[in-house]
Amino acid sequence: MLIEKYSFRTGDRFKKEGRAQLAAIQEINKTAGIEVVPVWNKSYREHSIVNTNQQSVLKEATDAVEANGWNGSYYVDADHIGLSNVDEFLDYSNFFTIDVAHFIGQKADEKAKDDFIKRYSSFIGKLAIPGIETAFDITETFLSEFADTYVKALEAVKKIYDHIEAKKGKGNFVPEVSMDETDEAQSPIELFFILLELKHQGVEVQTIAPKFTGLFPKGVDYQGDVNGFAMEFEQDVAVTQFVAKKYGLPQNLKLSVHSGSDKFSIYPAMKKAIDKFDAGIHVKTAGTTWMEEIIGLAEAGGTGLEIAKQVYEKSMDRFDELTGPYATVLNIDKNKLPPVPDVNGWTSKQFVEALTHEQSCKNYNPNFRQLIHVGYKIAAEMGDVYQNALDTYQNIIHEKVKYNIYERHLKTLFT
């Protein structure tokens, strides 16, 4: 099983928007004349919070495919899994995001370290990679430090990969390796050796999610040096293409961009790089669809607007609880969050303008948006009240979801 060149991952907290998400992908394929395939995903953490399971993700995907008449490939991703929870996803997933970021920085055993250095000692000296102007200086010290940073994590990948392969069968799933939820970005040359070691371990990785420089905050635009990111991303694309062609990893190997929704300022650089190398890309989104649900409810007014206001009020009350698990991917200035009494007096228009990611709108508030982004636990606790509202205002919400994914995301990335 080899995933196609372009893939777009769409999370859906509450299982209602699969058809709208797929409709957006169908639209870009029609208008741009390309093939983007859908990947539906949900993590163990999200399942735990909203009380769902992976079987429900598979059902949403298959229902959307049937309802929309989709005839292409589609994938269901077991997102951010490890050995402790992967078994819950095996029967319902054909894509596995193997997350080993928490192993990064754990020092390698001495023998494993020595073996690693010996294995790659032939690279000591200057290493030139096509598409990157400056050659890299590889030293034994670099290899030693790399081993102490990454070997434990790569060994963990191997264990999880072998476990999945034993259950699913060789070639019957798409493996992704995720290293993005860590403090330090991986350099292009570190990515090179990560990929080589995965090949040595027998891990046929198809998508790789490194950590990039800058901040990828939830639900809002990239924060950092856009030009610096552009250079880094292009070099990472060059590395993936070189390793796939020369060292025998799958030819469809591509970068995966996590927390990829709403990063509009870097989409042009991403498109430029993949066009330059004729490379694929995998972009992961999730909470941006949940944002459109709240925007749709607020725009509908009445009960919908009241639910949206309740989500914000309770999110403010439980700020630390909700933001804590996402602390590394949030940048909320609490002083710029609107007071709850003010929000409770807002009209639909005021709420929608503050929440919608339109940077040209003077009322857009990225702090407000980030807090609601992590406040989906509040909606989950509303139970049928929230679920019934999604059904009541289905038409307006579906329109919002499709527009957001197609107009803001897919068109910017691929046209």
Side-chain angles (χ1 to χ4, degrees):
M1 180 181 293
L2 294 175
I3 197 166
E4 287 75 1
K5 185 175 184 178
Y6 304 127
S7 47
F8 193 81
R9 191 155 49 165
T10 57
D12 185 11
R13 305 280 194 256
F14 297 100
K15 308 178 295 181
K16 299 283 189 178
E17 317 307 335
R19 288 182 289 117
Q21 293 170 330
L22 182 56
I25 290 173
Q26 290 174 295
E27 189 72 13
I28 194 64
N29 289 353
K30 177 182 176 181
T31 58
I34 60 176
E35 182 185 19
V36 181
V37 296
V39 182
W40 281 275
N41 72 288
K42 191 174 283 187
S43 68
Y44 180 82
R45 175 170 58 190
E46 290 162 354
H47 281 308
S48 300
I49 290 173
V50 301
N51 195 30
T52 54
N53 55 44
Q54 195 69 354
Q55 186 175 7
S56 68
V57 181
L58 175 59
K59 184 178 188 306
E60 180 183 13
T62 54
D63 286 350
V65 164
E66 182 177 352
N68 288 29
W70 175 261
N71 295 316
S73 301
Y74 66 97
Y75 301 87
V76 177
D77 176 24
D79 189 19
H80 286 291
I81 51 85
L83 271 180
S84 64
N85 53 34
V86 65
D87 286 347
E88 299 179 34
F89 294 81
L90 288 170
D91 291 339
Y92 311 107
S93 307
N94 57 357
F95 187 120
F96 292 82
T97 298
I98 301 172
D99 182 0
V100 293
H102 52 292
F103 289 98
I104 294 174
Q106 295 184 18
K107 286 195 172 184
D109 298 334
E110 283 303 315
K111 185 178 186 309
K113 180 177 176 178
D114 290 343
D115 288 346
F116 178 87
I117 294 171
K118 289 175 184 176
R119 188 154 54 247
Y120 299 108
S121 61
S122 62
F123 287 97
I124 291 174
K126 294 285 187 180
L127 174 61
I129 294 177
I132 300 178
E133 290 184 5
T134 305
F136 296 96
D137 288 316
I138 310 301
T139 65
E140 185 171 329
T141 298
F142 167 82
L143 293 176
S144 176
E145 291 174 349
F146 178 97
D148 277 337
T149 304
Y150 294 108
V151 162
K152 280 283 189 184
L154 296 170
E155 290 172 345
V157 172
K158 171 66 171 171
K159 291 177 183 176
I160 301 166
Y161 178 88
D162 285 351
H163 183 80
I164 298 168
E165 187 175 74
K167 303 291 184 178
K168 300 290 290 185
K170 187 176 180 64
N172 289 331
F173 62 98
V174 175
E176 170 169 307
V177 174
S178 168
M179 294 185 160
D180 65 305
E181 292 191 357
T182 187
D183 293 333
E184 299 294 329
Q186 291 92 45
S187 67
I189 194 59
E190 287 175 324
L191 179 61
F192 174 81
F193 283 101
I194 286 168
L195 291 170
L196 255 61
E197 184 62 9
L198 288 172
K199 176 61 179 177
H200 170 76
Q201 296 276 5
V203 176
E204 295 295 310
V205 59
Q206 295 186 37
T207 68
I208 180 85
K211 180 177 176 63
F212 300 103
T213 54
L215 181 64
F216 286 67
K218 291 291 185 181
V220 298
D221 207 349
Y222 174 80
Q223 296 176 10
D225 179 357
V226 173
N227 291 329
F229 169 85
M231 178 181 294
E232 174 189 31
F233 188 82
E234 182 174 306
Q235 291 184 348
D236 282 351
V237 174
V239 167
T240 60
Q241 298 304 288
F242 178 58
V243 172
K245 290 173 182 175
K246 184 163 183 178
Y247 296 100
L249 277 168
Q251 293 300 296
N252 65 334
L253 177 66
K254 57 186 177 179
L255 289 178
S256 175
V257 181
H258 283 202
S259 294
S261 66
D262 298 276
K263 305 304 179 285
F264 305 137
S265 65
I266 59 173
Y267 285 178
M270 292 161 58
K271 174 174 171 49
K272 182 179 178 182
I274 62 175
D275 285 351
K276 176 178 178 179
F277 290 92
D278 192 23
I281 192 169
H282 181 63
V283 177
K284 176 187 174 185
T285 73
T288 195
T289 288
W290 143 250
M291 290 288 87
E292 295 306 312
E293 287 183 343
I294 293 294
I295 290 165
L297 290 174
E299 186 169 304
T303 302
L305 178 59
E306 288 306 310
I307 288 173
K309 290 177 179 179
Q310 287 175 36
V311 168
Y312 180 66
E313 180 173 355
K314 292 179 180 179
S315 295
M316 285 288 280
D317 289 342
R318 296 161 63 178
F319 182 92
D320 291 340
E321 172 196 346
L322 297 174
T323 60
Y326 298 96
T328 60
V329 284
L330 292 173
N331 187 20
I332 298 175
D333 185 343
K334 292 182 73 172
N335 294 321
K336 294 182 180 179
L337 288 169
V340 168
D342 290 359
V343 174
N344 284 339
W346 280 358
T347 63
S348 288
K349 183 174 183 291
Q350 288 174 300
F351 198 105
V352 168
E353 287 185 347
L355 189 57
T356 301
H357 193 175
E358 291 289 354
Q359 296 182 40
S360 61
C361 177
K362 63 182 178 61
N363 295 322
Y364 166 59
N365 186 332
N367 303 285
F368 181 69
R369 183 174 170 90
Q370 285 179 85
L371 180 56
I372 292 184
H373 192 285
V374 298
Y376 63 94
K377 184 175 184 179
I378 304 299
E381 292 172 353
M382 291 180 178
D384 289 344
V385 171
Y386 185 75
Q387 293 282 350
N388 292 340
L390 295 182
D391 291 334
T392 300
Y393 303 109
Q394 178 186 89
N395 290 341
I396 187 171
I397 292 170
H398 281 198
E399 181 181 327
K400 295 284 184 186
V401 169
K402 180 182 176 183
Y403 180 91
N404 178 51
I405 292 177
Y406 173 64
E407 292 286 344
R408 297 194 185 105
H409 292 81
L410 294 172
K411 280 182 71 174
T412 309
L413 274 168
F414 293 114
T415 62

